[in-house]
Amino acid sequence: MIALTNRQARQFILRKQGLLGTYRFKGKQGALEYVRQAGCIQFDPVDVCGKNAELTLQSRVKGFTKDMLYALLYEDRSLVDYPDKNLSIWPVEDWPYFERYRRAAREGGRRFEGLDRLEEQTVSWLREHGPASSDSLPVEGEVYWHSHIHWSGNWGGKSNAARAALEQLYSTGELIIHHKKGARKFYDLAEKYLPRTLLDAPDPLPDDAAHQRWRILRRIGAVGLLWDRPSDAWLGIPGLKADQRKDAFRKLMEEGKLCEVRVEGMRDALYCLSEDAPLLEEIRKERIPGGKRCELLAPLDCLLWDRRLIRELFGFEYTWEIYTPQAKRKYGFYVLPLLYGDRFAGRVEAAAKGEETFSEGGKKERILLVKHIWLEEGMRRTKAFDAALDRCIRRFAAFNGCGRTVRPQE
């Protein structure tokens, strides 16, 4: 068992995440390394000032641009879009571990009359013509169908035949997302882009309990510290109820893959990966290089997967209010947590705009509109903080391709 102060626990999580001190992840390779460490990062199509996956990487990866993630997904094929913790992006080498879900989708698809015929037509057309979206695929009609990737949200009823065929083949792994244009997905045959050895690889963990343990390890590695209790951090792991989770933690401790961590002031034990023990020692010895960073985090950031844990460790309460009725919102539609050093300093509502904005010479210019900055109670405004915040917002504007920033009067 490892004992930590509250501050040490905070610093461990943030350093593990690449959010404290000098940047641990740099450039396109750093973005890939972070996704591999996290196992997956969540995808969400809403783009107010960057999509969730892009926002997750910009806060950790020095020099990150949106083109880097696009290249990793659709040029290098080092990453793939596929559900994990809801809609996600994860390393292509993990493909075999998700075979059980593709198999379930294949078995489920057999129950829907006419779907197999639509699949054959779709595969034949894609083999001859290449990538297609549901709008461009010439497969007509409707079919009763529902998604078999059950952790991405079950929905059913009559569906456009082209959409049903594409998404069913995507869920079975015969198709991958070739690229995206805005929110529109274009699909193509997986065999054109992924090696046969990967596509034909058997499930490395056919035993259900072993598979659950693998996924629990990935989620703990994504956050840094987690506890054996209900949490959104476990979303998308089928069959993982309280008893299964408890057995998995016990087995992982017996195998020496987890360390128990006790944090001052917290009743429940936390757990970290055993391989992170050296990082824990760095934190305990206060060996954190670099000064205080100021970063804007994604709404579905890996750090925030267990919001109760964040509340207990950091004293920070965060709700993504995008689905909250406007009259009931405390802050705003798309508000990002603001991190400073090893604490949450507040939250920021910002939007990248461009259509109606022009520079002095009449040329169209994108701006970053910073609508609101709310600081946490007790957060002192200092010259150092203001300078760090200014640097953070300038970086964020550049990340969004904005040449100018408009901020509220403070």
Side-chain angles (χ1 to χ4, degrees):
M1 190 190 73
I2 299 169
L4 297 178
T5 65
N6 177 276
R7 187 180 187 213
Q8 287 171 338
R10 297 197 315 268
Q11 291 182 337
F12 167 73
I13 282 186
L14 294 175
R15 188 63 180 157
K16 165 79 174 177
Q17 291 275 349
L19 290 166
L20 184 68
T22 53
Y23 286 92
R24 293 179 51 226
F25 305 101
K26 299 177 182 178
K28 189 171 79 167
Q29 183 60 30
L32 177 58
E33 288 170 2
Y34 175 73
V35 178
R36 283 175 170 160
Q37 172 182 291
C40 75
I41 58 176
Q42 282 187 252
F43 172 80
D44 186 87
V46 177
D47 190 350
V48 175
C49 49
K51 298 183 181 74
N52 188 80
E54 297 165 341
L55 292 168
T56 297
L57 293 170
Q58 65 82 31
S59 61
R60 296 162 166 82
V61 181
K62 188 173 184 179
F64 175 77
T65 64
K66 297 176 185 181
D67 289 343
M68 291 178 185
L69 181 57
Y70 188 94
L72 289 167
L73 280 165
Y74 308 125
E75 296 171 8
D76 305 345
R77 302 289 169 185
S78 300
L79 300 174
V80 293
D81 304 271
Y82 199 78
D84 184 343
K85 185 183 181 293
N86 299 326
L87 297 175
S88 293
I89 292 168
W90 42 262
V92 70
E93 60 263 27
D94 286 347
W95 183 272
Y97 291 90
F98 290 82
E99 170 56 25
R100 61 180 51 229
Y101 307 112
R102 297 190 293 269
R103 182 175 63 248
R106 290 192 291 271
E107 293 170 354
R110 298 189 187 107
R111 300 198 301 268
F112 295 91
E113 185 178 351
L115 189 57
D116 55 350
R117 177 180 54 82
L118 293 174
E119 290 177 323
E120 290 173 6
Q121 292 177 12
T122 299
V123 169
S124 176
W125 196 90
L126 293 174
R127 185 162 280 128
E128 182 176 354
H129 299 282
S133 68
S134 59
D135 292 336
S136 62
L137 181 70
V139 174
E140 298 180 350
E142 290 184 330
V143 62
Y144 182 84
W145 171 83
H146 72 77
S147 171
H148 295 289
I149 305 180
H150 53 276
W151 66 97
S152 69
N154 247 336
W155 57 271
K158 280 191 175 181
S159 175
N160 171 280
R163 180 189 177 193
L166 288 169
E167 294 206 13
Q168 173 65 15
L169 288 165
Y170 166 67
S171 68
T172 64
E174 292 174 75
L175 303 185
I176 59 172
I177 295 176
H178 178 269
H179 70 283
K180 294 177 182 175
K181 286 186 178 179
R184 182 178 295 181
K185 293 172 284 190
F186 288 76
Y187 299 87
D188 205 354
L189 298 173
E191 64 189 30
K192 293 183 182 180
Y193 307 97
L194 303 185
R196 199 74 249 176
T197 51
L198 192 66
L199 294 175
D200 294 341
D203 186 343
L205 298 170
D207 176 71
D208 289 346
H211 179 79
Q212 287 178 345
R213 291 196 295 274
W214 177 75
R215 297 194 71 187
I216 285 173
L217 283 175
R218 285 170 95 242
R219 299 294 172 84
I220 295 173
V223 178
L225 289 172
L226 280 174
W227 42 24
D228 176 15
R229 60 189 303 172
S231 167
D232 281 356
W234 313 125
L235 287 176
I237 307 180
L240 188 66
K241 298 181 180 178
D243 289 344
Q244 289 80 9
R245 192 181 65 245
K246 190 175 295 295
D247 287 344
F249 269 82
R250 177 183 54 79
K251 182 69 172 175
L252 290 169
M253 288 290 291
E254 290 173 356
E255 293 174 349
K257 295 179 180 178
L258 290 180
C259 292
E260 182 180 340
V261 177
R262 290 285 178 173
V263 179
E264 65 171 346
M266 294 184 66
R267 180 172 58 86
D268 294 292
L270 301 178
Y271 297 86
C272 71
L273 302 182
S274 296
E275 63 191 52
D276 286 334
L279 180 57
L280 274 171
E281 283 307 305
E282 283 185 32
I283 298 300
R284 294 172 77 178
K285 294 177 180 178
E286 299 185 354
R287 294 176 179 172
I288 304 172
K292 284 186 176 182
R293 279 165 51 190
C294 195
E295 302 289 356
L296 288 165
L297 303 187
L300 302 173
D301 196 285
C302 303
L303 178 64
L304 303 171
W305 282 358
D306 190 323
R307 290 177 183 170
R308 182 172 179 179
L309 176 64
I310 295 303
R311 184 171 69 241
E312 289 205 25
L313 270 180
F314 291 85
F316 183 70
E317 187 83 45
Y318 178 72
T319 300
W320 192 29
E321 297 181 310
I322 191 170
Y323 300 116
T324 303
Q326 184 173 356
K328 295 183 179 180
R329 288 178 191 146
K330 186 176 179 181
Y331 295 102
F333 171 74
Y334 207 86
V335 173
L336 309 182
L338 178 67
L339 192 70
Y340 179 56
D342 59 14
R343 293 184 178 276
F344 284 93
R347 55 204 84 206
V348 174
E349 183 179 19
K353 301 284 187 179
E355 295 303 317
E356 72 291 337
T357 307
F358 295 84
S359 65
E360 291 181 2
K363 185 178 179 182
K364 187 180 291 188
E365 181 182 54
R366 281 174 64 82
I367 65 167
L368 180 71
L369 176 61
V370 181
K371 298 179 180 181
H372 299 284
I373 299 176
W374 297 272
L375 296 183
E376 286 291 276
E377 186 176 350
M379 180 64 199
R380 291 191 307 111
R381 298 295 298 267
T382 64
K383 289 183 178 180
F385 169 72
D386 285 346
L389 179 61
D390 285 342
R391 291 193 297 271
C392 174
I393 290 177
R394 284 200 301 271
R395 288 197 312 272
F396 198 68
F399 157 73
N400 278 290
C402 298
R404 192 159 60 94
T405 301
V406 175
R407 290 175 58 173
Q409 296 296 321
E410 299 178 31

